[in-house]
Amino acid sequence: MPAERVDVAVLSRTLVRASDPPRGFPAVLPVSNLDLILGSFHIYLVSVYPAPAAGFPAVAAAARATLPAFLSRFFPFAGRVVADVSTGVPEVACDNAGAELVVAEAAARLADVDFADADRSLARLAVPFQDGLALSLQLVRFACGGFVLSWGTDHLLADGHGMTALPNAWAELLRTGGLSWEPHHQRASLFRPRSPPRFSPSLDAEFTRYAPAGLPNALLTATLVRRNYVVSAADVARLRAAASTPARRATRLEALSAHVWKLLAAAVGGSDARCRMAWLVDGRPRLDPARFDADAVRRYLGNVVTYASREAAVEAVSSSPLPDVAAMAGAAIAGVFRSERFEELVDWMEARKGVFREGGKWTEAVGAGTGTPALVVSAFVAFRVEGDFGFGRPRLVMPWVRPGRLGSAAMTVARSPREDGSWVITARLWPRLADAVDADPEAVLKPATAAALGFAALELEPADVAQHASRL
């Protein structure tokens, strides 16, 4: 049978409030300048599970029972993202208005879903939610008894580190009844601008106003295709060996980046003389402990990320040995992987906040889709998601975002929940780049079909399926 597009029907949306709001918590929580770098937009972390022995009603009941206590520990996620009336700068109203709990169903079986086509799978599993909501916790049940648990939030509140911390804390709370750590919620006080601000004038060239006049039109961005891939542990190891030399051992991300950069150059061909790669870099490991509280940073869910980018001639990328391309990627990442970079970003945003008063915001120029062709890589491979909150481990965990009018190509790389060294990738590609991936003789990026992800047909009798659906 052909793989299916997922159609999701929402059964209920319920607002759930924190059961024990922390005393003395500020009514309004200012966001940090680093939160404003990427700005406000919805992001998801989608986890797909095979059918649990206890059945989906037990999963839904556990979510309903646990969410109030969870929100008491992660209180800003029970609030609302609003704009300051005088400055227009986003902030979090911590009024316990409630997080959203969504229960939905899909008529398809997991084994029949076209997971390789992200537009027919992840895009439909991530249920849209209202602007301003700080958290939308979403459960989608499949006909086979499997389910999806998605964490939807605003990027102002969490980067990749924070997004993966949420399900890990959720799993710990359900398994043990408590948490072994407490999240650090104070944002602006952790990343204070210096007086006077100090930053390189070159930062201005890295950002552009997120405004329709400076972005590709909606029909152009609609031509990008969304694909999901798997990369085996053997291919990751092989790429790393090929990208390394006796003098320099490439990281796994550098090796994959070098391979993908060559695919980008092949797709560009003679249509442009140059092309760019960019990487979203987590700065936590490089923050100066003398300036930033290391323990607070570790427990901090907000944004500590920046872009690194490098432009090169198409011919140079195509003809250079893989270790040389990997070294270019490594040099670009190393250039921003320093504490001073993040201090400059804090200061730069402090000096450029006036855009919010005008109803605007900033975005990284490399992601806009103008200029030379660019591919942006977001790496989640450093973040392990526990996932098992009493109903087994997920078979797929993947971040998801709707790009709006951004026209660059993008890849998000995450570790497989199997923890076997393999990776999963969700990608937004121009058709020519998707064709280059498909034509790659090394076949490093293979389609993430339901079979490749381990979603075999589940052995449920029709009566059992009907019984589960009736109980829901």
Side-chain angles (χ1 to χ4, degrees), residues 41-310:
F41 57 92
H42 289 174
I43 55 173
Y44 300 81
L45 189 68
V46 181
S47 302
V48 188
Y49 294 76
F56 181 77
V59 176
R64 292 189 186 97
T66 306
L67 187 53
F70 180 86
L71 292 172
S72 298
R73 310 294 280 272
F74 294 85
F75 191 58
F77 291 90
R80 294 291 181 271
V81 176
V82 298
D84 182 276
V85 293
S86 61
T87 66
V89 174
E91 57 192 17
V92 185
C94 300
D95 52 3
N96 202 18
E100 179 183 60
L101 178 61
V102 177
V103 179
E105 65 179 3
R109 302 182 308 163
L110 287 173
D112 298 330
V113 174
D114 189 2
F115 280 103
D117 187 331
D119 283 320
R120 291 164 60 88
S121 54
L122 294 184
R124 306 183 72 82
L125 293 173
V127 178
F129 58 96
Q130 184 179 4
D131 287 343
L133 274 173
L135 176 64
S136 178
L137 187 64
Q138 306 176 356
L139 289 167
V140 180
R141 181 192 182 278
F142 282 79
C144 58
F147 70 95
V148 170
L149 174 65
S150 296
W151 297 80
T153 187
D154 193 305
H155 209 301
L156 278 172
L157 293 173
D159 60 6
H161 170 90
M163 279 297 290
T164 52
L166 291 174
N168 287 339
W170 175 261
E172 183 181 359
L173 192 61
L174 267 85
R175 288 197 319 267
T176 68
L179 284 181
S180 58
W181 60 285
E182 289 295 331
H184 182 85
H185 293 305
Q186 301 305 316
R187 295 165 174 266
S189 61
L190 186 59
F191 297 102
R192 296 182 184 276
R194 295 171 292 190
S195 181
R198 301 190 298 276
F199 56 87
S200 169
S202 64
L203 277 179
D204 282 326
E206 294 187 29
F207 295 91
T208 186
R209 288 280 296 269
Y210 187 89
L215 297 170
N217 71 63
L219 292 181
L220 279 175
T221 56
T223 63
L224 276 77
V225 297
R226 308 293 291 263
R227 298 287 184 264
N228 293 326
Y229 301 99
V230 293
V231 182
S232 70
D235 281 335
V236 173
R238 178 174 58 80
L239 275 182
R240 188 178 192 185
S244 300
T245 66
R248 183 182 186 277
R249 180 167 170 78
T251 67
R252 294 179 299 167
L253 181 62
E254 290 169 357
L256 179 68
S257 298
H259 181 78
V260 170
W261 205 344
K262 283 182 169 290
L263 293 178
L264 173 62
V268 174
S271 60
D272 202 309
R274 305 181 71 80
C275 60
R276 290 173 290 171
M277 286 286 291
W279 299 265
L280 203 55
V281 179
D282 177 22
R284 285 173 177 81
R286 285 294 187 271
L287 292 182
D288 183 359
R291 168 110 167 100
F292 303 101
D293 184 332
D295 178 63
V297 168
R298 179 181 58 83
R299 297 181 290 110
Y300 178 64
L301 276 63
N303 291 272
V304 194
V305 292
T306 187
Y307 279 90
S309 65
R310 176 73 181 267

